[in-house]
Amino acid sequence: MTRYGTYCFRLCLQHTWPLLAGLLAVSCDRAPPLPADRVYLNGAVYTFDDEHRKVEAVAIRDGAVIFAGSSTAAARFIDDRTDVTDLQQRMLMPGFHDAHAQVLAAGLAKAGCSLEDERDHELIREMLEVCSGSGDVGPEEWVRGSRWPLAAFADGRPPIAWLDEIFAGRPAYFVDSFAHSAWVSSRALQIAGIDRNTPNPPQGIIERDARTGAPVGVLRDAAMDLVARHMPQPTASDFAAALKTALVDVRRFGITAYIEPGLSERHLEAYRDAEHAGQLTARVLASLSPIGSEAGRFGDEIFDLVAKRATYQGKYLHTDSVKVYIDGVIETRTSFMLQPYTDGSNFAPFYPADELAVLYQKLDAMGLQIHTHAIGDAAIRLALDAYEHARQQNGPNDNRHQIVHLQLIDAKDIPRFAALDVAANFQCLWCYPDDYIDVAVGLVGTERVNRFYPVASIARSGGRIVGGSDWDVSSLNPLDAIETAVTRQNPYTNEGRVLGSGENVDLQLALEMYTRNAARVMRLDALTSKSIVGMGPSAEYDLDVGLLAVLT
C-alpha cells in the first residue's frame, strides 16, 4: 500500500494560488470516484504544501485539484472523457505569483518607442532614428518612449540635443528604465513652460546646466509631471489594447496572479472592462493611487478613490490595496537616506512622518493593504514607523501590508518586518553587481552597497519575503529573479561578482517567494483554485525536472 494509495484528496486551492494544501482526506473504499476533467501523470510535481511533498500525478475536476499522489492511483480518475497529459518526468508546479508588476504600464510602453535599456550610444541613436522614421507620429504630435538607461550616461543625463535633432523639434518624452526620470526635448520643455527660472517642484528635480542653470532635458520623480500633464492621455481603447498585449506576456511566463501598483480610476476601468469581456487571464490585486504610477504624494483624494473600489471588484480583480510612494531611487539621489549621499546631499521623503502615520492609520482601519515604495534606509524606517503607529492605534489585523524594493535597510530595522507582520517585497533580479550597482557605489559608497537587498537577513529574522518583478523595469520572467536570489550573480552569464555576502537564499525559499508567499500577500491563499498550473484564467509553464532535483 503506497503512501498516497489509501486516500483520495480534495485540495482546496486558489485559482493562481495553486498551493497543494488544505487537504481533506477521504476514504477511497467507497464508490469509485467521478472521473477527472484533466490528469497529469508521470511528473515531478512539487506541491508547496507545508511538508514540501513531491508527487507524480494530479487530477483536476471543475477547476479544482481532487487528487495528488502516484500515477498508478491517479488512473482511477481517468475515463474516455479525461484529458491526460504524460509529463515524462518534467516538473509541474503551482503558477507563479508576481507581487509587483506594472502590467498595464508595460503594455502602454510597447505602443511607444522603447530603447530596451540599451547601453551603446550609437545603437540608442539608431533606435531613436527608427522611431522618428516609422511614420507612427505626425510632425506636431508627441513622441512617447521608454526604457532609456541611466547607467549609460554620465550623471544619468542623456543629451537633449539627440531628441531635438532626431525628432526635428517635436515634443518628445522618454521615461527611463526605472520610471523615475524623464528625458524630454526642448519643445516639450517649452510647452511645459520650464526654463532656468522654474523652481524644482516638491519631491522633484529639474536637472540643470551647472554654469547657466538652464534645464538640460532630464526631470526626476515629481518633476516629470511638469511635462507629462501636457501630453495627450491614453484613451480607453489604448488602455484596452495595452492590457490585452501585456497579458500575453504574463501568461507566457506562467504567472497566474499579480499585484499592479499605482492604478487610478481610469486604469481600473480598463481592468473591469477586460474582466467583463472575459479577457482577464490572471487574478489581479489592484493597488490604488489617484496619481496612478507617478512617483509623488497624494492627499485626501485617495479616500474618494477607495470609496469607489467596490464598483470595480470582480471575480478576478480585487481592489483592497493602496500604493504609497515614500521616495525615489538611489541612482538619481532621490531616495531618502539616514546618512547623506557622498556629495553631501539628501532627498526629503514625499510625506512628513506625522502625516504618513495618520494616513496609514486611516487606511489600515479601513481594512486596506498598504503597498509602500521605499528604497532608502530612512524611507524604509519611516514606512515601518507608520505601520507601527497604525498597529498601535488599530491593533493587529490581517491587512497583509508590504514594502517593496528595499534597496538599503538599516540593521536595526530588519527584525521589524516580522514584528510588525509587514512583508518584504524584493525584486531579486536586481540583486547582482550590474552597472547600476557601479553607479550606486559612486553615490553611497561601497559599504552601503554591500548591504543592498538583504533578502536572507529578513528571512532569518522571521520576516516574510515576497517576489515581484517590477516589470517592465526588469524582466517579467520569474526564473531570472529566482536564479539571482539563489546566486546573487549575473543570471545571464552565471559568473562574476556576488552582491552581499550571505544574502542569497536557497531555491526552495526563492520559489516560495513567487508562489505561496506572494499568494498570501495577495490574500489568495484561502481561495479555491481554477487549476494547478492555470487552466481558465491563468497560464501553463513547463519546467525541467532538474530544477526539482535541486529541491530534494
Side-chain angles (χ1 to χ4, degrees):
M1 187 176 299
T2 67
R3 177 180 177 186
Y4 303 107
T6 307
Y7 299 98
C8 58
F9 301 96
R10 172 77 182 183
L11 309 185
C12 292
L13 308 177
Q14 120 87 25
H15 155 83
T16 75
W17 171 218
L19 170 66
L20 299 183
L23 305 182
L24 300 179
V26 181
S27 171
C28 292
D29 295 332
R30 303 174 184 173
L34 294 173
D37 300 320
R38 189 168 189 177
V39 171
Y40 292 90
L41 299 173
N42 304 317
V45 183
Y46 189 59
T47 64
F48 285 91
D49 63 9
D50 291 338
E51 290 76 35
H52 306 295
R53 294 185 305 119
K54 294 176 283 290
V55 299
E56 295 178 327
V58 292
I60 299 165
R61 184 191 309 125
D62 296 331
V65 175
I66 58 172
F67 170 82
S70 70
S71 294
T72 300
R76 68 182 183 276
F77 295 94
I78 298 173
D79 70 3
D80 55 5
R81 295 164 295 178
T82 304
D83 183 1
V84 179
T85 299
D86 186 347
L87 293 172
Q88 299 178 347
Q89 297 307 308
R90 286 179 298 172
M91 181 177 179
L92 184 69
M93 64 170 285
F96 290 121
H97 288 49
D98 189 326
H100 189 86
Q102 304 185 69
V103 172
L104 187 54
L108 288 170
K110 285 175 176 284
C113 179
S114 176
L115 300 181
E116 302 296 340
D117 207 38
E118 176 57 56
R119 305 298 204 270
D120 185 275
H121 285 195
E122 289 187 12
L123 290 178
I124 292 172
R125 285 186 60 93
E126 288 177 11
M127 296 167 84
L128 291 170
E129 287 166 357
V130 168
C131 292
S132 178
S134 67
D136 293 338
V137 181
E140 301 298 324
E141 291 183 285
W142 283 82
V143 180
R144 299 172 186 264
S146 62
R147 302 205 68 209
W148 59 270
L150 283 166
F153 301 97
D155 295 323
R157 294 182 176 191
I160 192 172
W162 289 9
L163 299 182
D164 292 345
E165 170 197 345
I166 293 170
F167 294 110
R170 281 177 285 181
Y173 181 92
F174 281 70
V175 178
D176 80 303
S177 294
F178 287 178
H180 284 264
S181 296
W183 176 23
V184 303
S185 66
S186 294
R187 177 61 177 145
L189 290 173
Q190 182 185 36
I191 290 171
I194 299 173
D195 59 24
R196 73 186 65 210
N197 298 314
T198 306
N200 287 336
Q203 295 83 47
I205 296 173
I206 301 170
E207 295 286 1
R208 306 171 192 271
D209 183 277
R211 183 176 58 85
T212 67
V216 297
V218 177
L219 309 172
R220 311 291 191 199
D221 286 307
M224 298 165 67
D225 188 56
L226 297 178
V227 170
R229 68 179 62 158
H230 295 278
M231 298 168 59
Q233 296 302 302
T235 65
S237 60
D238 291 334
F239 282 129
L243 185 55
K244 183 177 181 180
T245 297
L247 283 170
V248 172
D249 287 321
V250 170
R251 186 179 181 92
R252 180 164 64 93
F253 287 115
I255 296 166
T256 57
Y258 60 88
I259 299 175
E260 176 141 15
L263 295 185
S264 69
E265 191 164 10
R266 294 193 69 215
H267 303 136
L268 292 173
E269 289 168 355
Y271 269 106
R272 179 192 60 193
D273 293 347
E275 180 164 16
H276 288 173
Q279 297 174 348
L280 189 55
T281 54
R283 285 194 186 271
V284 179
L285 176 57
S287 196
L288 311 183
S289 171
I291 59 174
S293 58
E294 174 190 337
R297 57 173 290 149
F298 50 68
D300 287 345
E301 65 269 25
I302 183 60
F303 298 106
D304 296 330
L305 179 58
V306 165
K308 300 175 184 176
R309 70 188 187 279
T311 305
Y312 301 99
Q313 188 90 3
K315 184 176 181 181
Y316 300 127
L317 177 63
H318 301 273
T319 56
D320 292 331
S321 179
V322 169
K323 168 70 180 295
V324 178
Y325 274 98
I326 304 296
D327 64 351
V329 295
I330 287 175
E331 291 76 10
T332 60
R333 299 186 185 90
T334 56
S335 284
F336 181 36
M337 312 292 283
L338 291 174
Q339 299 297 324
Y341 293 91
T342 54
D343 67 355
S345 67
N346 207 337
F347 191 79
F350 292 170
Y351 300 85
D354 56 348
E355 184 177 330
L356 189 72
V358 171
L359 174 64
Y360 278 31
Q361 179 185 341
K362 290 179 179 179
L363 295 173
D364 180 70
M366 298 173 72
L368 295 165
Q369 175 192 94
I370 305 170
H371 182 127
T372 303
H373 166 115
I375 285 182
D377 48 5
I380 293 164
R381 178 168 294 175
L382 187 65
L384 289 169
D385 288 347
Y387 286 123
E388 184 172 16
H389 173 79
R391 188 180 181 93
Q392 289 170 345
Q393 297 300 311
N394 300 333
N397 55 44
D398 196 35
N399 290 346
R400 308 188 184 191
H401 303 306
Q402 62 174 329
I403 303 178
V404 63
H405 303 321
L406 299 165
Q407 192 161 349
L408 179 63
I409 308 176
D410 188 80
K412 295 177 182 177
D413 291 318
I414 285 175
R416 299 179 70 192
F417 287 84
L420 296 173
D421 194 20
V422 173
N425 186 327
F426 285 100
Q427 288 57 63
C428 285
L429 187 52
W430 305 350
C431 297
Y432 75 95
D434 64 358
D435 49 3
Y436 286 109
I437 294 295
D438 295 334
V439 169
V441 169
L443 299 176
V444 300
T446 301
E447 188 276 331
R448 280 188 281 186
V449 166
N450 286 337
R451 294 191 282 115
F452 278 6
Y453 310 116
V455 183
S457 291
I458 296 282
R460 284 192 293 265
S461 69
R464 178 174 287 103
I465 57 172
V466 173
S469 65
D470 204 14
W471 187 53
D472 68 337
V473 171
S474 45
S475 169
L476 183 62
N477 187 349
L479 293 181
D480 291 342
I482 288 166
E483 178 177 345
T484 311
V486 173
T487 67
R488 307 281 291 203
Q489 284 182 306
N490 188 328
Y492 307 113
T493 65
N494 298 313
E495 60 184 12
R497 296 172 294 160
V498 171
L499 178 65
S501 176
E503 291 299 343
N504 58 302
V505 298
D506 62 29
L507 178 57
Q508 178 175 293
L509 182 53
L511 286 167
E512 288 179 353
M513 291 173 68
Y514 266 93
T515 50
R516 63 184 294 165
N517 290 2
R520 187 186 184 281
V521 167
M522 298 178 68
R523 297 190 178 103
L524 296 179
D525 49 323
L527 299 180
T528 301
S529 177
K530 274 287 179 186
S531 71
I532 181 171
V533 286
M535 295 163 292
S538 61
E540 286 197 41
Y541 191 68
D542 288 331
L543 300 176
D544 189 88
V545 70
L547 180 61
L548 185 64
V550 182
L551 295 168
T552 58

